[in-house]
Amino acid sequence: MHKLIKKEYINSNLFKIFFEKKNLEFIPGQHFSLSIPGKSINREYSSYTSPKDKEIGFLVRRVEGGIMTNLLDKMEVGEEINIYGPYGSFVLKDEYLNSKQIIFIASGTGIAPFVSIKKSFDLNNYKLFVGIREKKDIADSDIFSEDKSFYSISRDKDLSQNNHYKGRVNTQLKNIEFIDDYQNSIYMICGNSYMISDVYDILVKEKNINPNLIITESFF
């Protein structure tokens, strides 16, 4: 059982939630299964924190009708949860850290494992592409360099910052000039399955990227 330590709201529906870490160990990019005692439901979330952090944290979007997201939203400090894991192989291999450019591609809360990875390694050889609905959905942009991050925003009209673009992330990726040496890069894609499928097709069918250089993690 892990006690809730704190919650930090990015907006009314998007928040970070932190629990006691205890003896949990994981590789950046892996995920855990969360289960609230007395509720016959569990959901998987990628760690938003680094293995070096003192707590374990997750990035959550509250969804209308979403049982787990609403339960997490209502949890109060001191309440407990079951955390099982870690699970998954959505991780950076050691040989990629220095020899390849790493392209992070996310939709919504799919940015969570990339935050964990960025906080864990001294990365400079990366680019980040994120698809969100509105500017208020941007989470911890200070972790990533502005000149290496690109936000595709589908609903806001006033996009004043240089790294903000109108549209969806799959459309933005068609502008391959944002990626230097894209044939010699590792692609990590995390988010909803429709985005992953679209981006995968762009990379493989249009940009002739070797599928072995693409790693995916589907949230739903």
Side-chain angles (χ1 to χ4, degrees):
M1 299 285 283
H2 299 257
K3 286 184 180 180
L4 173 60
I5 298 173
K6 62 180 178 179
K7 286 192 286 187
E8 297 177 359
Y9 281 81
I10 297 169
N11 59 54
S12 59
N13 290 318
L14 184 65
F15 59 95
K16 295 176 279 186
I17 189 166
F18 301 90
F19 297 93
E20 290 178 323
K21 186 178 180 183
K22 293 189 174 180
N23 60 346
L24 290 177
E25 296 182 357
F26 63 97
I27 302 171
Q30 288 187 305
H31 62 270
F32 292 85
S33 178
L34 275 55
S35 174
I36 295 179
K39 306 290 183 181
S40 57
I41 185 172
N42 65 283
R43 293 289 186 270
E44 295 180 342
Y45 290 90
S46 295
S47 174
Y48 189 70
T49 44
S50 164
K52 298 179 289 186
D53 290 334
K54 295 180 180 180
E55 65 277 324
I56 182 79
F58 306 95
L59 181 65
V60 179
R61 172 177 287 281
R62 189 184 68 82
V63 179
E64 291 293 336
I67 298 175
M68 178 59 83
T69 64
N70 282 280
L71 287 172
L72 292 173
D73 181 39
K74 294 175 182 177
M75 280 190 74
E76 297 184 359
V77 171
E79 293 184 336
E80 294 183 318
I81 197 170
N82 292 311
I83 302 178
Y84 304 104
Y87 306 106
S89 56
F90 190 68
V91 300
L92 277 179
K93 296 180 180 179
D94 290 340
E95 62 264 31
Y96 295 158
L97 292 175
N98 297 313
S99 63
K100 299 280 188 180
Q101 178 178 223
I102 304 159
I103 308 299
F104 299 129
I105 305 168
S107 61
T109 55
I111 195 176
F114 302 144
V115 173
S116 179
I117 290 170
K118 181 62 171 65
K119 291 176 66 176
S120 302
F121 302 106
D122 184 22
L123 292 181
N124 290 310
N125 57 333
Y126 73 90
K127 294 284 180 68
L128 170 73
F129 295 84
V130 184
I132 53 177
R133 295 174 181 175
E134 301 173 87
K135 288 183 291 185
K136 67 179 182 180
D137 294 326
I138 293 177
D140 286 350
S141 60
D142 57 308
I143 292 176
F144 302 94
S145 298
E146 184 175 339
D147 63 340
K148 297 178 183 293
S149 52
F150 306 87
Y151 294 90
S152 298
I153 304 171
S154 60
R155 295 187 180 177
D156 273 345
K157 295 181 179 180
D158 180 22
L159 305 178
S160 56
Q161 285 190 228
N162 291 333
N163 62 341
H164 292 178
Y165 300 88
K166 178 68 176 177
R168 301 185 182 277
V169 68
N170 55 335
T171 304
Q172 192 62 33
L173 272 178
K174 290 178 179 291
N175 299 321
I176 206 67
E177 66 267 19
F178 288 113
I179 304 176
D180 302 319
D181 195 14
Y182 63 90
Q183 290 286 358
N184 189 39
S185 299
I186 296 297
Y187 296 82
M188 299 187 73
I189 315 173
C190 185
N192 72 72
S193 58
Y194 297 106
M195 181 278 290
I196 291 175
S197 179
D198 286 346
V199 169
Y200 187 92
D201 285 346
I202 291 171
L203 295 176
V204 174
K205 296 179 180 180
E206 298 184 26
K207 307 303 179 184
N208 298 313
I209 302 299
N210 185 337
N212 293 329
L213 300 177
I214 302 173
I215 311 166
T216 64
E217 179 87 317
S218 178
F219 270 23
F220 49 86

